[in-house]
Amino acid sequence: PLPDNKIKAIGKLKIYDGCKGFIAFEERFYPTVIDMGAGEDGPRLYYDGAYGHNSKDNILGFAAIGEKSKPYTALKDPERINFMLNELDQIFNGQASKNYIKHVFKDWSSDPFSKGAYNSGSNIISDYKSVKAMSIPIGNKLFFAGDLYTDGSLWSTVGAAASAARKAVEKLVGKL
């Protein structure tokens, strides 16, 4: 059985439904961030997916968490991308459809390995101690890694997940 501190920390978690996507366009017609509104369980936004990557590509990223993801995850392509392009066309006077090249989309909620997207919102884990408890190995035999298995200073990011994975491997096989 898992130790009490691990069970208590897991009991505080709620992994929300969510989705993410990237849309390639011929021209950049959008700002760095397009905030489409957030709910209690997370955001819905478009963002410049190439920002800070020294790229000439015009990639618009998309993320929606919790209830905000449902209009997107309820659809399949091509209806979903048409819905998204229409949403952007209303904001940018038809520029999305005019400049569309291709896209990728991931419904993390239906992924059999993740079964959700993010642990989102300050109402879920109220302090770093619960997150830190998630990272503690059990008997030097069971190690944990992921966006919630950190030292408690940062969580729910790809960077936090990668750092946690590295630390778990270092504990398992020694310092890399």
Side-chain angles (χ1 to χ4, degrees):
L2 294 174
D4 289 343
N5 68 332
K6 189 71 73 175
I7 292 169
K8 185 177 180 182
I10 290 169
K12 290 186 176 184
L13 301 179
K14 173 150 176 52
I15 304 300
Y16 285 107
D17 289 341
C19 55
K20 197 167 192 178
F22 295 94
I23 309 170
F25 294 102
E26 289 180 19
E27 294 183 24
R28 184 177 190 269
F29 55 86
Y30 46 85
T32 304
V33 176
I34 307 157
D35 186 345
M36 303 294 285
E40 287 184 25
D41 47 3
R44 177 175 68 116
L45 59 95
Y46 289 92
Y47 58 93
D48 184 347
Y51 184 80
H53 291 284
N54 194 26
S55 173
K56 294 184 184 197
D57 292 327
N58 302 303
I59 307 294
L60 190 61
F62 171 79
I65 309 300
E67 288 297 317
K68 297 288 185 181
S69 70
K70 294 202 185 299
Y72 307 93
T73 58
L75 299 172
K76 301 291 180 214
D77 283 324
E79 290 83 11
R80 178 178 34 236
I81 189 60
N82 290 336
F83 176 82
M84 296 172 81
L85 291 172
N86 183 54
E87 183 172 65
L88 292 166
D89 281 344
Q90 290 179 26
I91 299 168
F92 300 107
N93 300 318
Q95 292 299 305
S97 293
K98 178 182 169 189
N99 287 287
Y100 171 77
I101 299 173
K102 62 182 177 178
H103 74 283
V104 294
F105 186 88
K106 179 68 176 180
D107 176 0
W108 289 105
S109 313
S110 66
D111 183 272
F113 299 105
S114 64
K115 297 182 181 177
Y118 294 97
N119 175 286
S120 182
S122 59
N123 59 329
I124 306 307
I125 296 179
S126 58
D127 66 292
Y128 75 93
K129 291 178 185 176
S130 295
V131 173
K132 190 171 183 175
M134 296 298 295
S135 70
I136 299 169
I138 297 174
N140 282 328
K141 292 183 179 183
L142 183 57
F143 295 84
F144 299 87
D147 68 326
L148 291 176
Y149 305 100
T150 72
D151 62 7
S153 61
L154 178 66
W155 61 86
S156 281
T157 67
V158 171
S163 176
R166 182 177 186 87
K167 288 177 183 176
V169 168
E170 286 173 351
K171 289 176 187 174
L172 181 63
V173 298
K175 199 76 164 163
L176 296 177

